[in-house]
């Protein structure tokens, strides 16, 4: 158990809908990272937050947004869903924002299926 | 900028044989290097990491990796493969002030 929690575990929704994925980082970790993993694209970095502020952006679509709250949990919002958004979404946390040799700790993931 | 390449998207070995998964990196700063393992339908789990010091790093489940600066490599090895080693393996690089970058992954199959 990495200490990172993600809810829900599974999500099935229809095209055009909007969903919210939630992540709680390990106790004390200030950074949260979001990744998308699909069979054809592999593991893609979406976005990083550090202590409530956006720190880095990867291949995140404009239909997707994220935020990190004062209690450090984070939410990833996916809107106008398309079939191609079906994937595993992982959250990871780290003590730092890149200013040290710290690994990322991954949650169990949320499997999103868009029908 | 940093990048990671992993030679071979799929590697097959026989049970009891040597496991060698290749990772090469590019980094503009002294790198921190990581290997992660992902079992089906699970998140990534850290196997081992190199930050500074000893270049041969030992991890969990009998895996080890050697940092070779001259070759910009961080290959993962295990002397004897076990069926339970079948999984996807990801190499990653970061550095002071740098983003974490994952490689594309290598799927390891272990044949009986």
């Amino acid at each position: 158990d990495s200490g990172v929690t993600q809810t829900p575990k599974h999500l099935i929704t229809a095209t055009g809908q909007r969903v919210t994925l939630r992540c709680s980082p390990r106790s004390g970790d200030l950074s949260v990272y979001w990744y998308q993993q699909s069979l054809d694209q592999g593991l893609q970095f979406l976005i990083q937050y550090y202590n409530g502020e956006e720190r880095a952006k990867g291949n995140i679509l404009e239909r997707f947004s994220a935020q990190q709250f004062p209690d450090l949990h984070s939410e990833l919002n996916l809107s106008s869903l398309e079939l191609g958004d079906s994937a595993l979404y992982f959250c990871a946390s780290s003590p730092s924002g890149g200013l040290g040799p710290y690994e990322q700790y991954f949650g169990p993931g949320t499997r999103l299926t868009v029908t | 900028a940093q990048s990671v390449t992993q030679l071979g998207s799929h590697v097959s070995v026989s049970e009891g044989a040597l496991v060698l998964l290749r990772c090469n990196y590019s980094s503009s700063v002294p790198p921190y290097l990581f290997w992660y393992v992902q079992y089906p339908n699970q998140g990534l789990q850290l196997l081992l990491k190199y930050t500074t010091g000893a270049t041969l790093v030992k991890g969990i489940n009998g895996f080890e990796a050697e940092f070779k600066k001259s070759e910009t490599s961080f290959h993962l090895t295990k002397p004897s493969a076990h069926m339970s080693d079948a999984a996807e393996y990801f190499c990653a690089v970061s550095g002071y002030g740098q983003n974490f970058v994952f490689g594309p992954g290598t799927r390891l199959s272990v044949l009986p």
Side-chain angles (χ1 to χ4, degrees):
Chain A
D1 184 355
S2 67
V4 179
T5 60
Q6 289 187 250
T7 56
K9 193 164 186 173
H10 300 278
L11 198 49
I12 301 175
T13 189
T15 54
Q17 294 299 303
R18 173 190 168 93
V19 297
T20 297
L21 312 184
R22 182 188 168 103
C23 167
S24 292
R26 290 189 328 152
S27 177
D29 283 358
L30 298 178
S31 268
V32 169
Y33 306 78
W34 286 99
Y35 293 87
Q36 179 193 59
Q37 187 178 41
S38 59
L39 283 175
D40 55 345
Q41 296 280 339
L43 188 67
Q44 297 282 320
F45 166 65
L46 296 178
I47 197 164
Q48 177 201 357
Y49 276 82
Y50 175 72
N51 204 20
E53 300 289 327
E54 183 183 303
R55 175 62 66 97
K57 224 169 187 176
N59 301 321
I60 189 166
L61 300 172
E62 284 192 13
R63 300 183 285 110
F64 296 180
S65 65
Q67 55 184 328
Q68 186 179 28
F69 294 87
D71 67 352
L72 301 177
H73 90 271
S74 178
E75 293 180 356
L76 179 67
N77 300 296
L78 315 176
S79 61
S80 303
L81 286 168
E82 302 173 0
L83 294 178
D85 297 327
S86 296
L88 263 172
Y89 290 84
F90 287 107
C91 166
S93 76
S94 170
S96 81
L99 301 181
Y102 299 107
E103 59 266 37
Q104 294 184 13
Y105 296 86
F106 279 75
T110 292
R111 181 171 294 281
L112 174 66
T113 302
V114 183
T115 62
Chain B
Q2 296 172 279
S3 65
V4 177
T5 56
Q6 293 183 239
L7 187 62
S9 60
H10 188 195
V11 170
S12 293
V13 300
S14 297
E15 192 172 18
L18 171 73
V19 175
L20 171 61
L21 304 181
R22 298 178 187 275
C23 171
N24 288 88
Y25 70 91
S26 171
S27 178
S28 55
V29 299
Y32 307 137
L33 295 157
F34 308 83
W35 274 101
Y36 284 81
V37 61
Q38 184 183 26
Y39 299 103
N41 298 312
Q42 294 187 27
L44 279 69
Q45 177 186 359
L46 183 70
L47 270 179
L48 50 80
K49 69 177 183 180
Y50 167 80
T51 54
T52 59
T55 56
L56 183 61
V57 180
K58 294 186 185 301
I60 62 172
N61 301 338
F63 284 93
E64 62 181 37
E66 187 171 11
F67 169 59
K68 292 187 177 180
K69 185 178 177 181
S70 61
E71 298 177 8
T72 60
S73 69
F74 191 57
H75 302 330
L76 182 70
T77 61
K78 182 174 181 178
S80 176
H82 193 271
M83 298 295 289
S84 61
D85 295 326
E88 185 112 22
Y89 292 79
F90 293 90
C91 182
V93 63
S94 74
Y96 189 86
Q98 303 296 312
N99 290 334
F100 226 86
V101 176
F102 281 90
T106 296
R107 181 168 300 278
L108 175 68
S109 297
V110 182
L111 309 173

